[in-house]
DNA sequence: CATGGTATGCGAGCACTGTTCACAATGTCA
DNA sequence: TGACATTGTGAACAGTGCTCGCATACCATG
């Protein structure tokens, strides 16, 4: 919707050269995506129905193929959006953590969880069972959001390390080439042992969120799973040296 | 399945009292489940096709309804199997860990991961996006495998605690009623603070396995993700006091 | 053994899905 | 205005889960 107005706003300017048709087309794209997003939010990605969104926006099913080359392409678009939405949510939450590395981490994780609980079907669209037939385009737009989120977490980790707040583990094994390369890319001085620790930390709270989204803590915590998450955050951050 | 036993129970008593019909019926059940399992292993649960398994075993689609009351019931049966299969796998792997609590934990987690990587589609059948329309029967058979696995892990944790090998966290918060009740049920002396720690530990390696099954570590580790998992196991066990 | 009831299987059909294709209407531009 | 590209449609095809009525096999009982 806002996209529509943005397009119309831009149409007045010189460089954009939007014809009437292009504006209509952009609006239709938005309409399709809005309807599809609503359907996914309600019933989940695997039961997204092309004919359903066609019905919703008052278009024939065949007409949708002028915009998306089938169901998978529409899904890819929505997965991309979900990734980016989650990424920006986490990023801005981290900024709200202020100058404390502990708080930046904690706020990022809380935002991750909140987003997952608010949009469980979109969360599972990203981290649940892959839609059959859907294949993530290699180095495509869906991995972009993934990269952004990883970058955000690694950035905070690197800064915490620079400040000497991160305890470097005395690892029993030598780092892999990938770990060394990545660490060097983030900060040439950063010890590669921190890479698996950061990934493991992500896996830790990601596992908590996943299981909670799937309702696996319901039997024990009911609607009070937040106390589990909060205590785990503290334990997890203490594990890498970031005391409260 | 339960229907068969009910019939046998009603018709006579001792289990060997099988008529020709009942034997055929049991065999057909097995054939259906085998075909369905093969299909799920290959293409995933959400694209399990009733007509497909009917074709596979040379039966009409309608005939299947004499055995399963629709697709969801067939899926429920396979989910139950997957749960129990994973549970027994983990249980027996733990036993292979011998007397060391560290090793029992580690072997259990490794078995969890191995099973997930060997049967990714069955793993996602349990821990991925729930099949639309499928609802876990309340206190039904699917939660049984879940309970078994939780029990196995909690048992090892409790034993480690009894031996004084588990570091009890100085938690900042008071335990919830559920945590206290569960701890008391496991061992009346066990500190309730250990409950969230055990659950968080499960979430930690579950997150690692989930992300690996979904291929999220591929870009960094390729086919060598095991080094990440192994170092995380050690870090995770050290976190609860179980040194190597 | 014969018979009646039951368990099992099948074909046809319904409502739905994603997708393709020929065709008509509409917007854009020389 | 005429030529062309863009957009939308209805019909159709193959696939799905599922229901129903009908036929056949089985099995316990008279």
């Amino acid at each position: 919707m806002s996209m529509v107005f943005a397009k119309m706003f831009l149409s007045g300017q010189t460089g954009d050269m939007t014809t009437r048709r292009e504006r209509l087309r952009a609006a239709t794209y938005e309409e399709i995506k809005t309807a599809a997003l609503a359907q996914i939010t309600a019933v989940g990605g695997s039961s997204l129905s092309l004919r359903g969104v066609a019905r919703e926006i008052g278009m024939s099913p065949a007409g949708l193929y002028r915009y998306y080359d089938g169901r998978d392409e529409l899904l890819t678009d929505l997965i991309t959006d979900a990734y980016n939405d989650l990424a920006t949510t986490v990023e801005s939450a981290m900024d709200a953590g202020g100058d404390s590395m502990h708080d930046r981490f904690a706020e990022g994780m809380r935002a991750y969880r909140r987003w997952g609980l608010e949009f469980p079907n979109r969360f599972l669209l990203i981290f649940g069972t892959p839609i059959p037939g859907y294949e993530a385009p290699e180095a495509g737009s869906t991995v972009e959001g993934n990269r952004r989120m990883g970058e955000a977490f690694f950035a905070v980790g690197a800064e915490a390390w620079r400040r000497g707040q991160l305890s470097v583990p005395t690892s029993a094994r030598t780092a892999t080439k990938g770990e060394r390369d990545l660490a060097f890319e983030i900060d040439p001085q950063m010890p590669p042992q921190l890479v698996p620790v950061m990934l493991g930390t992500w896996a830790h709270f990601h596992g908590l969120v996943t299981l909670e989204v799937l309702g696996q803590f319901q039997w024990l915590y009911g609607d009070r799973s937040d106390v589990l998450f909060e205590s785990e955050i503290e334990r997890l951050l203490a594990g890498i040296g970031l005391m409260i």
Side-chain angles (χ1 to χ4, degrees), chain A:
Chain A
M1 188 73 89
S2 57
M3 194 101 174
V4 177
F5 291 117
K7 275 281 175 191
M8 289 168 64
F9 193 68
L10 285 175
S11 74
Q13 303 199 358
T14 51
D16 236 29
M17 186 74 179
T18 60
T19 73
R20 165 177 167 73
R21 228 196 227 149
E22 280 166 350
R23 270 178 289 131
L24 285 181
R25 185 170 183 82
T28 307
Y29 263 118
E30 278 314 304
E31 205 176 353
I32 294 175
K33 280 178 67 170
T34 302
L37 179 61
Q39 201 171 321
I40 279 188
T41 305
V43 298
S46 75
S47 26
L48 168 68
S49 156
L50 263 190
R51 296 185 107 101
V53 324
R55 246 186 324 262
E56 174 83 17
I57 67 174
M59 198 184 210
S60 81
L64 282 182
Y65 281 77
R66 299 288 179 200
Y67 294 86
Y68 287 98
D69 199 24
R71 210 186 81 123
D72 283 5
E73 202 173 291
L74 175 54
L75 267 173
T76 303
D77 212 359
L78 293 164
I79 291 176
T80 302
D81 280 2
Y83 256 123
N84 283 318
D85 192 11
L86 174 57
T88 56
T89 300
V90 168
E91 282 170 359
S92 60
M94 277 179 161
D95 285 345
D99 195 50
S100 157
M101 291 302 112
H102 172 284
D103 291 356
R104 286 183 90 85
F105 261 127
E107 286 303 322
M109 298 176 192
R110 289 192 189 105
Y112 195 95
R113 171 173 178 267
R114 248 182 286 119
W115 193 89
L117 293 178
E118 189 175 355
F119 311 108
N121 283 327
R122 295 177 77 196
F123 183 83
L124 292 172
L125 198 61
I126 305 180
F127 294 115
T129 314
I131 293 336
Y134 166 78
E135 202 66 36
E138 188 62 33
S141 49
T142 58
V143 302
E144 172 69 11
N146 209 349
R147 190 195 55 74
R148 276 177 59 197
M149 229 173 37
E151 222 164 65
F153 270 105
F154 273 118
V156 180
E159 177 61 20
W161 164 75
R162 278 187 220 100
R163 299 191 189 182
Q165 297 174 359
L166 227 57
S167 55
V168 180
T170 58
S171 181
R173 66 172 172 88
T174 60
T176 69
K177 182 174 187 315
E179 288 169 346
R180 271 183 280 118
D181 289 352
L182 180 58
F184 187 86
E185 190 187 338
I186 296 170
D187 187 322
Q189 307 293 328
M190 187 172 151
Q193 297 95 316
L194 285 181
V195 168
V197 169
M198 301 299 303
L199 283 176
T201 300
W202 172 42
H204 190 158
F205 73 83
H206 173 80
L208 283 163
V209 173
T210 300
L211 291 174
E212 185 174 354
V213 166
L214 295 177
Q216 298 271 10
F217 297 139
Q218 173 80 33
W219 63 281
L220 188 57
Y221 287 94
D223 57 349
R224 295 191 49 203
S225 307
D226 52 338
V227 305
L228 171 65
F229 192 75
E230 286 299 322
S231 62
E232 276 298 294
I233 280 189
E234 289 314 322
R235 198 171 71 85
L236 169 163
L237 288 178
I240 60 177
L242 276 180
M243 298 302 180
I244 200 168

